[in-house]
Amino acid sequence: MSSVSKADRKTALDVASWSFNIVTSVGIIMVNKALMATYGFSFATTLTGLHFATTTLLTVLLRWLGYIQNSHIPLPDLLKFVLFANFSIVGMNVSLMWNSVGFYQIAKLSMIPVSCFLEVVFDKVRYSRDTKLSILLVLLGVAVCTVTDVSVNVKGFLAAVIAVWSTALQQYHSLGSFDLLGHTAPVQAASLVLAGPFVDYWLTEKKVYAYNYTTVSTFFIILSCTIAVGTNLSQFICIGRFTAVSFQVLGHMKTILVLILGFLFFGKEGLNLHVILGMVIAVAGMIWYGNASSKPGGKERWTYSAPSDKSQKPDNLLGSTETDEKV
């Protein structure tokens, strides 16, 4: 009975963590889309720095109130995580600028096979046939939804490669606890706030301090920073509970929600039959992935120890009886 309740509790926490991440992630995307498309605030790197600065203030408050415990992280691990995270942010912005939207979406989709590669090589993870097919189905569905024109050039391709690998490595080498967000957020805030205006000027040829800050645009910037606090916290929680592959596969649910909400609120990109078909395929793939990866043998970490009951431990999506096991 205790093991069942333990599994149920973990499932409930997984669902709550993922729901929190989806709500905050989709919310910030919609706010940023309004801020950039409607009010012309195109300084994405600087805005991300402000997001982490706001998150830093919250972590300081939570530590002062005793909700975040003091912890230690080796400096090399901290710098490695921040390096990958910042390259991911800047790389994605540069990739979107230098590539067509179609190739940008393909680059984002390629994060799943890259994450699979990292798990297979470094964690000795083995995937069942159904798990592999379900991942392919998700990729197909999201590609049908989002990939339109595809054109690429050398510098755009290099930017996409850097963005994809840095994102995958950031999630693979995740610190695993949102308590440690108090260590990473100040470093990311300082580096991005200092470098952001120069990076944004390089990308847009516009100066952030020359932007016309109106009351409405300032409100959207503050709203974006507020939602970003929840997004950053939820991402640390999810990366600590899910594997990088599960995080990427289920993350495409956010892509589908953004498409739907973009149609409802902005109306520029219609939901035609082509897009709806892609959504149905992608959702079917996500459901299949959840079912396939939770079965014995669906996704396992192999070891070379002597045969025993614990020599192979399933790495399930939901329902694992190990509370600290990533799914």
Side-chain angles (χ1 to χ4, degrees):
M1 180 67 70
S2 60
S3 62
V4 173
S5 61
K6 193 176 182 181
D8 290 342
R9 180 174 178 273
K10 182 183 186 304
T11 300
L13 289 174
D14 287 342
V15 172
S17 300
W18 196 253
S19 300
F20 182 35
N21 181 256
I22 288 178
V23 170
T24 55
S25 297
V26 173
I28 197 171
I29 289 172
M30 302 311 297
V31 170
N32 288 350
K33 185 170 183 178
L35 179 61
M36 295 179 181
T38 306
Y39 299 101
F41 190 86
S42 56
F43 311 102
T45 310
T46 303
L47 182 62
T48 306
L50 295 176
H51 290 169
F52 280 106
T54 310
T55 303
T56 299
L57 295 177
L58 178 67
T59 58
V60 170
L61 176 62
L62 291 178
R63 181 175 284 112
W64 181 68
L65 293 174
Y67 290 105
I68 293 181
Q69 303 299 321
N70 289 326
S71 56
H72 171 72
I73 175 174
L75 183 60
D77 291 340
L78 175 62
L79 294 179
K80 178 172 62 177
F81 180 87
V82 171
L83 182 67
F84 289 147
N86 287 355
F87 266 102
S88 170
I89 294 167
V90 176
M92 281 298 176
N93 290 338
V94 174
S95 176
L96 183 58
M97 182 187 71
W98 284 347
N99 294 313
S100 66
V101 175
F103 186 79
Y104 173 77
Q105 291 294 343
I106 290 176
K108 289 180 64 178
L109 291 175
S110 68
M111 290 179 193
I112 291 181
V114 170
S115 296
C116 289
F117 173 79
L118 293 175
E119 288 190 355
V120 169
V121 171
F122 295 108
D123 291 340
K124 309 302 181 202
V125 171
R126 304 294 174 86
Y127 300 93
S128 68
R129 180 180 62 87
D130 282 356
T131 303
K132 294 175 184 176
L133 290 175
S134 66
I135 291 174
L136 290 177
L137 191 63
V138 172
L139 293 175
L140 174 63
V142 178
V144 170
C145 283
T146 59
V147 176
T148 52
D149 60 307
V150 178
S151 60
V152 63
N153 53 70
V154 175
K155 64 179 184 179
F157 177 79
L158 292 176
V161 169
I162 292 173
V164 168
W165 277 94
S166 58
T167 302
L169 287 168
Q170 175 209 356
Q171 293 174 0
Y172 177 78
H173 292 290
S174 64
L175 301 176
S177 171
F178 72 90
D179 287 346
L180 298 177
L181 185 60
H183 292 281
T184 61
V187 181
Q188 286 188 264
S191 58
L192 291 174
V193 168
L194 291 175
F198 299 100
V199 174
D200 289 330
Y201 180 74
W202 175 52
L203 294 175
T204 65
E205 297 185 350
K206 297 178 182 178
K207 299 177 181 179
V208 65
Y209 55 81
Y211 175 76
N212 181 26
Y213 292 91
T214 64
T215 302
V216 177
S217 64
T218 302
F219 167 77
F220 272 96
I221 292 173
I222 295 173
L223 180 61
S224 177
C225 292
T226 303
I227 299 175
V229 173
T231 304
N232 290 331
L233 287 173
S234 67
Q235 180 162 326
F236 262 71
I237 295 171
C238 285
I239 291 179
R241 300 189 66 85
F242 300 93
T243 65
V245 174
S246 295
F247 188 78
Q248 286 290 339
V249 170
L250 297 181
H252 284 300
M253 178 61 72
K254 292 178 282 189
T255 302
I256 294 174
L257 290 176
V258 167
L259 287 173
I260 295 174
L261 292 176
F263 168 74
L264 294 176
F265 289 106
F266 299 100
K268 295 179 180 179
E269 300 173 358
L271 285 180
N272 54 41
L273 182 62
H274 181 80
V275 174
I276 294 175
L277 175 63
M279 291 180 180
V280 172
I281 294 173
V283 171
M286 292 174 196
I287 296 173
W288 188 10
Y289 176 81
N291 182 60
S293 63
S294 65
K295 291 181 179 178
K299 185 178 179 184
E300 293 183 334
R301 181 175 289 108
W302 285 44
T303 63
Y304 296 99
S305 58
S308 67
D309 291 338
K310 296 183 180 180
S311 60
Q312 294 182 2
K313 182 170 65 175
D315 193 19
N316 299 334
L317 176 64
L318 293 175
S320 168
T321 58
E322 297 292 332
T323 56
D324 59 346
E325 180 184 353
K326 287 189 178 184
V327 293

